Amino acid sequence: MRVLSNKILSNHVFSFITFLMLVFIFNSCNIKIKKEINSTFEKVKRIEILAYEDRNQWTKEDNPDFLKLNYIQNGKLEINKKYLRNRISLNKEQIEILKNKLRKCETENWAAACYDPRHAILFYDKNDKIFGYIEMCFDCNGRRSSENFKVFSECALGLEETFKEFGVTYFGE
């Protein structure tokens, strides 16, 4: 009976230690994401949210390589206006809301294979150049980002309602 009791106790201890390790790992990841977001937002002069026609529907001339986002060239937005549905510059209050939403990082853990991106967040520096972006497909929970935003780009997938609150009206056909 005593052996069984010790075995049960050791299983509980092992479970508890595993739980603590998972909490530690999760918190470490969250801390890294929050630091990265804070660092990024210190550089931000302004932020724009774009809503556009699904990039799969663009002409080859306007979108020669679907896997590469090509409407940002040399820190400037170069998108054919015929695809653009919303272009919203965030005010200071909205920028703070966006920052806090990204820090919370509320996402769903699912994805589909479609990747029909219709939205992007563009981050501008003090020289009014785009220094980073996150492009997303709310339909499949997919995203692409500039290298400097990869750490927290997944956090943008939970922003559809926030985009609506900011005035984005286009979410597909």
Side-chain angles (χ1 to χ4, degrees):
M1 185 71 148
R2 187 160 178 80
V3 171
L4 183 60
S5 175
N6 284 340
K7 188 172 184 173
I8 291 171
L9 181 62
S10 68
N11 282 343
H12 285 297
V13 169
F14 178 74
S15 295
F16 182 71
I17 290 171
T18 303
F19 172 75
L20 287 177
M21 286 175 44
L22 289 174
V23 167
F24 176 75
I25 291 169
F26 179 74
N27 281 335
S28 295
C29 291
N30 276 345
I31 289 168
K32 182 178 181 180
I33 288 170
K34 287 177 182 179
K35 282 183 180 178
E36 196 68 36
I37 290 168
N38 288 340
S39 172
T40 296
F41 275 79
E42 287 174 8
K43 300 172 195 162
V44 167
K45 176 70 174 167
R46 71 182 178 101
I47 295 176
E48 283 187 321
I49 295 178
L50 304 181
Y52 41 81
E53 189 176 309
D54 167 10
R55 278 201 301 120
N56 285 317
Q57 305 303 314
W58 296 12
T59 64
K60 266 293 195 209
E61 180 180 291
D62 294 324
N63 192 31
D65 183 355
F66 175 72
L67 297 175
K68 292 183 181 176
L69 186 138
N70 61 1
Y71 57 78
I72 299 171
Q73 300 292 325
N74 300 316
K76 295 190 185 271
L77 179 64
E78 295 185 14
I79 189 170
N80 188 323
K81 290 186 184 356
K82 72 181 180 182
Y83 303 117
L84 203 53
R85 300 296 180 258
N86 299 120
R87 183 176 182 179
I88 297 175
S89 289
L90 301 186
N91 61 38
K92 288 182 182 192
E93 180 183 331
Q94 291 170 321
I95 289 172
E96 195 61 31
I97 290 169
L98 179 68
K99 176 183 172 182
N100 290 332
K101 295 275 185 171
L102 287 170
R103 290 183 85 218
K104 281 186 180 177
C105 200
E106 295 173 354
T107 62
E108 297 178 17
N109 291 327
W110 63 271
C114 71
Y115 198 67
D116 299 327
R118 295 182 182 93
H119 298 90
I121 307 171
L122 306 179
F123 297 83
Y124 292 82
D125 65 15
K126 65 182 179 189
N127 299 316
D128 211 33
K129 294 224 180 216
I130 298 169
F131 73 92
Y133 68 87
I134 303 172
E135 179 184 63
M136 64 219 76
C137 174
F138 290 125
D139 290 341
C140 72
N141 234 14
R143 85 272 183 209
R144 297 217 168 93
S145 68
S146 52
E147 195 61 41
N148 54 337
F149 283 66
K150 289 213 185 292
V151 171
F152 63 88
S153 65
E154 182 178 350
C155 300
L157 295 173
L159 295 175
E160 186 171 354
E161 289 304 313
T162 304
F163 279 22
K164 289 176 184 176
E165 292 168 12
F166 290 166
V168 174
T169 57
Y170 183 77
F171 289 90
E173 279 46 77

